[in-house]
Amino acid sequence: MGNKRHEHGWLRRGATAFSATALAAGLLTAGLLAGIAGPAFAGTGSATCTFNGTSYGPTAAVTGVTAGESIAVSCTGVPASTTLAVVEASPLGGVITPSSDAENEADVAAAVLATSSSTGDYSATFTVPTTFSATDPNAACPPTQAQINAGLVDCALAIATTSGVPYYEQLIQYKSQDVTPAAPDVALSPTTATTGDSVAVSEPSSPTGYFWGDALSSSTIPASNILVGGVAASAGSLTVAPASYAYDSTTPADSVLTPPEVSGSFTVPSGVTAGTAAVDIFESNVTPDAGNSTSSSFSNDVEATSSLTQLGTAAITVSPASGGIGTVVTVSGTNWDPQGGKVSVAFTTASSGGTVSSTSATVGSDGSFSASLSVTSGDAVGSNPITATQTSKDGSTLTAKASFTVTAISSTCTIGGTTGTNTCSVEQIISDTVTGTTLTITEEKTGTNPSATAVTLSPITLGSEVNADATGHMNTLQVSDNRGTLAGWEVTGLMETDFTNSTPVGNASDNVIPASNLAWTPAVSLITGASSAGGPSGVLSEVTAGPRSALSTTTPALLCEAAAGGGGGGFNCSAGLSLTVPPYVAAGAYSATLKLTVVGTGPS
């Protein structure tokens, strides 16, 4: 489609004619018309060119260009007595895929031709088109702001033979365009960290700016170019993938430009002041355009700014600050490493022959934790600080203490002979050991079922020529979790076989009802009756019934479950049953076996 358009756009000057398609394809396939905000391509051989009498070199662009303006092109070192063209191209040509479609980014209709002298000198006057026009409707000179933000800042003029052999390229910028791309946006994860933690860097969900310092090729940002609170990251690096333009030859307007994308991570260095720390990331700028960096150390670079919360010194508080045996102490921590190990919390001093009380806690993403610690006879009476320790991600140890006083139990009380009413108290610690046993499931006969291990569904009479549903109720399964670990459990059901006819006739397939035709609707309840005398058999809200679902011979279906942290005691798990019976099956007694399995999670 694009080739046809170009074939009809041949230009002729005198007796000279050239194929616009060959010119554009040759230029762009060679990479000449990249048009990226990067060093100009000098082309084949050693040609040098000036534009309006000025030599710009590979690190500058012709600026202030306006539509309709004439640009005098003068070159030396081109092939002698050869017809050369000057043609303008969109920056999309430098990042288009597939590269064979790059010809669609040049305005070949506006190209001019001239013939070099016998000594290889070349002069031509190129008139900047009033309206840039290429096969691709997204091609634009000056570039759109979205293209500029993706690092595609400059269009290009190319000098090449009519067969597409390039000899020089010059980047150009229009007076009307904004040559400053938007500052790059980045997303950090996590946004709270401490020394030695790893922080991932990626594109945010809706960025407006990107790292445009080298949009044509992949670039690397080293740790030394990532400052956290003004301190260079201690490790890590980022990769910036180049921009790409996926050309849709069927519907060119639907072609998609993907801006440069950053990814990678860095390690938070030591020496960062606690609190909000600025994160500044600098990409080297290889373009002729001024970078947005405000740092003298990274002058002219492309800079992205963000921030994270640098955690301070690890600390804990306890409540209450004193108490005797049986007192539950809440320990709260701040500024602990979210990427480190669990925090160990314990009393400092053990009583004679005893062992200090201890526990552990997981640190949240904000560096905080909460733990409960009970005073026992193993903790020495008197001043007995509570200590918290953690191994951070970088291997160092974080430690914090909080004062606590273990008070003695009073066994003597004396009231003097004063008048009035007086009180005196002593204390006794009453304790008991609760020992866990087992997790069991037991089948209980339900309704009209003949036994605890057999279920009878409602009979079906063939003749309606449609599917019919046989209904019933499975025998109740009593789940008794007496382990005392509160680690959770689940019960699932799996059909061992399809339903088969005990007295088959005719085709074998007409004597089978697929197991998947059986569906159940689970329910849970507490155990009632003598077994639960004295109170409820468990906490019903801690057990959940599975969803209504079809059963199968391959994938277990959930009957009921208790998440970790609860599910102790006894519960009834049951389900209503519905078997879809096809109208084509042979008459007879059909049966299949349902296997019920309980899985008990071990303590964490």
Side-chain angles (χ1 to χ4, degrees):
M1 191 173 189
N3 288 343
K4 289 182 179 179
R5 173 177 176 176
H6 282 153
E7 287 165 1
H8 295 159
W10 289 3
L11 301 179
R12 300 177 182 272
R13 178 169 295 182
T16 303
F18 72 99
S19 166
T21 297
L23 174 63
L27 294 176
L28 291 166
T29 301
L32 184 64
L33 298 186
I36 300 298
F41 174 69
T44 300
S46 57
T48 60
C49 298
T50 63
F51 298 81
N52 288 335
T54 300
S55 176
Y56 290 88
T59 59
V62 178
T63 59
V65 173
T66 58
E69 173 187 352
S70 295
I71 299 176
V73 181
S74 181
C75 302
T76 61
V78 300
S81 305
T82 301
T83 300
L84 301 170
V86 181
V87 64
E88 183 181 18
S90 156
L92 293 174
V95 294
I96 195 168
T97 56
S99 59
S100 58
D101 284 324
E103 62 186 62
N104 300 305
E105 307 308 314
D107 185 354
V108 181
V112 296
L113 295 174
T115 301
S116 63
S117 69
S118 60
T119 58
D121 296 331
Y122 177 79
S123 296
T125 299
F126 177 79
T127 300
V128 179
T130 302
T131 302
F132 180 89
S133 179
T135 299
D136 181 6
N138 294 322
C141 285
T144 66
Q145 190 61 48
Q147 293 168 9
I148 291 172
N149 288 344
L152 309 183
V153 178
D154 305 318
C155 290
L157 290 182
I159 294 88
T161 67
T162 55
S163 62
V165 178
Y167 280 89
Y168 201 84
E169 176 198 42
Q170 180 59 54
L171 303 179
I172 63 173
Q173 291 179 357
Y174 283 72
K175 184 177 181 179
S176 61
Q177 77 178 80
D178 182 356
V179 297
T180 305
D185 295 320
V186 294
L188 305 182
S189 179
T191 56
T192 298
T194 190
T195 301
D197 282 357
S198 178
V199 178
V201 182
S202 62
E203 297 290 338
S205 58
S206 299
T208 58
Y210 314 88
F211 281 107
W212 52 268
D214 190 3
L216 189 59
S217 59
S218 178
S219 63
T220 298
I221 301 175
S224 57
N225 283 35
I226 305 171
L227 304 184
V228 184
V231 183
S234 57
S237 66
L238 309 179
T239 298
V240 181
S244 64
Y245 181 58
Y247 186 72
D248 186 336
S249 58
T250 302
T251 312
D254 293 338
S255 302
V256 177
L257 172 63
T258 301
E261 294 184 357
V262 66
S263 61
S265 63
F266 64 86
T267 301
V268 178
S270 59
V272 180
T273 302
T276 301
V279 177
D280 300 290
I281 304 172
F282 301 91
E283 179 195 30
S284 295
N285 181 13
V286 301
T287 78
D289 306 300
N292 67 322
S293 170
T294 57
S295 169
S296 59
S297 300
F298 298 93
S299 177
N300 201 44
D301 279 3
V302 177
E303 178 182 4
T305 59
S306 187
S307 64
L308 59 76
T309 300
Q310 172 71 18
L311 295 171
T313 303
I316 60 170
T317 59
V318 298
S319 178
S322 64
I325 296 173
T327 300
V328 178
V329 185
T330 299
V331 182
S332 302
T334 55
N335 295 326
W336 296 84
D337 188 355
Q339 298 181 28
K342 285 189 174 183
V343 179
S344 297
V345 181
F347 283 97
T348 303
T349 308
S351 61
S352 178
T355 302
V356 295
S357 302
S358 64
T359 189
S360 63
T362 300
V363 180
S365 60
D366 62 351
S368 67
F369 75 84
S370 181
S372 295
L373 193 64
S374 296
V375 181
T376 70
S377 59
D379 304 311
V381 173
S383 176
N384 198 344
I386 293 175
T387 302
T389 59
Q390 181 197 30
T391 300
S392 62
K393 185 174 182 180
D394 66 0
S396 61
T397 300
L398 303 180
T399 303
K401 285 187 177 183
S403 297
F404 189 89
T405 300
V406 177
T407 57
I409 294 296
S410 175
S411 61
T412 301
C413 179
T414 302
I415 295 178
T418 59
T419 59
T421 301
N422 297 280
T423 61
C424 182
S425 301
V426 293
E427 297 171 309
Q428 294 183 10
I429 302 298
I430 302 173
S431 61
D432 181 44
T433 300
V434 178
T435 302
T437 54
T438 59
L439 169 64
T440 60
I441 53 175
T442 305
E443 293 175 308
E444 297 286 334
K445 179 180 176 302
T446 301
T448 58
N449 290 334
S451 70
T453 59
V455 175
T456 300
L457 302 179
S458 60
I460 294 296
T461 300
L462 298 174
S464 60
E465 298 181 355
V466 295
N467 290 337
D469 291 331
T471 60
H473 206 284
M474 66 169 280
N475 287 310
T476 298
L477 196 71
Q478 289 191 350
V479 181
S480 299
D481 185 4
N482 300 315
R483 296 171 296 168
T485 60
L486 303 182
W489 48 264
E490 69 173 16
V491 178
T492 59
L494 183 72
M495 298 302 295
E496 294 188 341
T497 62
D498 293 323
F499 288 84
T500 57
N501 193 348
S502 62
T503 56
V505 294
N507 296 327
S509 60
D510 293 335
N511 289 268
V512 176
I513 301 174
S516 58
N517 281 25
L518 179 66
W520 69 6
T521 304
V524 295
S525 63
L526 295 177
I527 296 174
T528 58
S531 61
S532 62
S537 62
V539 180
L540 186 58
S541 61
E542 295 177 352
V543 177
T544 304
R548 173 180 171 78
S549 61
L551 290 105
S552 80
T553 58
T554 57
T555 304
L558 180 65
L559 177 63
C560 56
E561 66 177 345
F571 303 89
N572 290 323
C573 293
S574 60
L577 302 176
S578 177
L579 177 65
T580 299
V581 179
Y584 57 78
V585 297
Y590 288 79
S591 64
T593 301
L594 169 64
K595 180 170 69 175
L596 298 165
T597 302
V598 62
V599 177
T601 306
S604 58

